[in-house]
């Protein structure tokens, strides 16, 4: 039971990490677009 709980914790941590990475990539993409528009 404890092992199962640990696995669930790891899964939730990984899903949060993936969401954070996607948000970071989205911010980087928007920042790059704004920088390109500013240059143009």
């Amino acid at each position: 039971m404890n092992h199962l709980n640990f696995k669930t914790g790891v899964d939730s941590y990984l899903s949060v990490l993936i969401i954070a990475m996607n948000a970071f990539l989205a911010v980087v993409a928007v920042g790059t677009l704004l920088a390109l528009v500013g240059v143009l």
Side-chain angles (χ1 to χ4, degrees), residues 1-13:
M1 201 63 179
N2 194 14
H3 179 71
L4 185 68
N5 193 15
F6 174 74
K7 187 182 185 301
T8 305
V10 170
D11 284 345
S12 60
Y13 172 75

Side-chain angles (χ1 to χ4, degrees), residues 5-30:
N5 193 15
F6 174 74
K7 187 182 185 301
T8 305
V10 170
D11 284 345
S12 60
Y13 172 75
L14 284 176
S15 63
V16 168
L17 194 66
I18 289 170
I19 291 170
M21 278 175 48
N22 284 334
F24 176 73
L25 287 174
V27 169
V28 169
V30 170

